[in-house]
Amino acid sequence: AFPGINFAPTIKSTITPKAHPAFQSIEQKYALMSANVFCALSTLPSFGSSVGDLINNSTTGQTKWIEEATPFSKRKTMHCQSDNMKQCYNEHNFYDLKCYNLMRPCSYRDSKRGFTGTAAHGPLSIHIPFQSDHQCIVLISEPGYEWSKPVLMANFFHEFSIKINNNQPCNYNDCFTVLQERGGYIQTLRIDLSQQFSPCRPTTISISITPVPSLFTFSNQSTSDLQPKNPPICALAKNGRCEPHGTWRRYEIRCHKHDDDSCSVKRGEQKNRRPPELVSTFIESIIYF
């Protein structure tokens, strides 16, 4: 901020905004890449198709998954209604850096949403209207959660049970993989049904949450029926601390460092911060082609 200096008079009055380019929905954007790519996104305001448009109508009254604001959107709403934010706005402290940082998130008018459920909510049934010229591939993704992934969010690698057309198991590596790029925590299911169906045809995908009963037990198992094989949840990081890594990286899981520099999940982490019945997920976007 520069007290006493007004920059507004230096702006030429003849400057007029250029015409804004025509709005493109997400579907239109992907159509430029491929005529057979379709996207559904849960957000308000809505931009084209929503995830809700793909929910299998036959599950009405059965599934208990609901569409609601993501944790980030809920926190943003609370933040934008806080007394500190209102004070900055009422006093017009737009040039104060503290107020700027407080007000900036509130300038984002969109609200991220997703379908959310726990193990008790049963399966979420998604109808994918594949056509014969599709590759039979679906990408199902969660939203961002700011810096770290909340401990109660389900792990796509280890805590999903997937079925095709209500009865055919979809197993890791055979039918689906998990994309987790560039060291981040956001996980995306990549379901490839090209081997099951040729040509591709309309398909129902059911997703259920099967929480890990105990992080401590999971971390100390050398083999398991879970796919992929259980990796250690905690490992020694370059900074010398024990942190979640691998398929659990960036989770808000507390790790314990032993005298020999080995790492483990802190005892009580499951009971106190991650009871299985509270583990949930958000499905924010679905892309199929």
Side-chain angles (χ1 to χ4, degrees), residues 41-47 67 69 73 76 108-113:
L41 179 68
S42 286
T43 186
L44 288 178
S46 179
F47 302 105
E67 185 181 36
S73 290
K76 188 186 79 169
Y108 310 146
R109 297 303 182 187
D110 63 314
S111 174
K112 300 293 189 297
R113 301 176 67 80

Side-chain angles (χ1 to χ4, degrees), residues 135-151:
Q135 298 180 39
C136 255
I137 294 177
V138 186
L139 303 176
I140 301 176
S141 186
E142 63 181 343
Y145 302 102
E146 295 183 313
W147 182 249
S148 298
K149 188 170 179 175
V151 68

Side-chain angles (χ1 to χ4, degrees), residues 155-173:
N155 189 311
F156 283 31
F157 283 94
H158 308 290
E159 299 183 304
F160 274 8
S161 175
I162 304 171
K163 291 185 178 180
I164 306 303
N165 293 330
N166 299 321
N167 55 20
Q168 182 179 347
C170 180
N171 298 320
Y172 186 82
N173 277 339

Side-chain angles (χ1 to χ4, degrees), residues 10-18:
T10 64
I11 301 177
K12 294 181 179 180
S13 60
T14 56
I15 296 178
T16 56
K18 295 181 180 180

Side-chain angles (χ1 to χ4, degrees), residues 77-143:
T77 299
M78 296 176 60
H79 165 78
C80 296
Q81 296 174 350
S82 67
D83 292 338
N84 289 338
M85 234 295 298
K86 292 178 181 178
Q87 182 178 356
C88 286
Y89 183 80
N90 293 333
E91 296 178 0
H92 301 286
N93 289 333
F94 305 124
Y95 292 105
D96 179 79
L97 183 60
K98 180 180 178 180
C99 279
Y100 169 79
N101 289 329
L102 281 172
M103 299 176 72
R104 182 177 59 179
C106 304
S107 68
Y108 310 146
R109 297 303 182 187
D110 63 314
S111 174
K112 300 293 189 297
R113 301 176 67 80
F115 273 81
T116 182
T118 65
H121 292 149
L124 178 69
S125 185
I126 303 168
H127 177 71
I128 305 297
F130 281 130
Q131 299 174 9
S132 59
D133 57 348
H134 281 140
Q135 298 180 39
C136 255
I137 294 177
V138 186
L139 303 176
I140 301 176
S141 186
E142 63 181 343

Side-chain angles (χ1 to χ4, degrees), residues 199-211:
C200 197
R201 60 178 182 265
T203 303
T204 298
I205 298 174
S206 299
I207 298 176
S208 301
I209 298 177
T210 54

Side-chain angles (χ1 to χ4, degrees), residues 44 53 130 179 230:
L44 288 178
D53 297 332
F130 281 130
L179 308 179
N230 293 0

Side-chain angles (χ1 to χ4, degrees), residues 242-278:
C242 286
E243 298 178 350
H245 86 129
T247 57
W248 294 90
R249 66 175 178 257
R250 300 284 297 278
Y251 263 90
E252 293 177 336
I253 295 174
R254 295 179 297 189
C255 299
H256 176 70
K257 184 177 180 180
H258 301 273
D259 293 339
D260 60 356
D261 286 346
S262 62
C263 303
S264 65
V265 175
K266 281 191 174 181
R267 287 189 177 275
E269 187 74 345
Q270 186 78 27
K271 178 181 178 180
N272 299 328
R273 299 183 67 232
R274 204 177 194 265
E277 65 272 15
L278 297 183

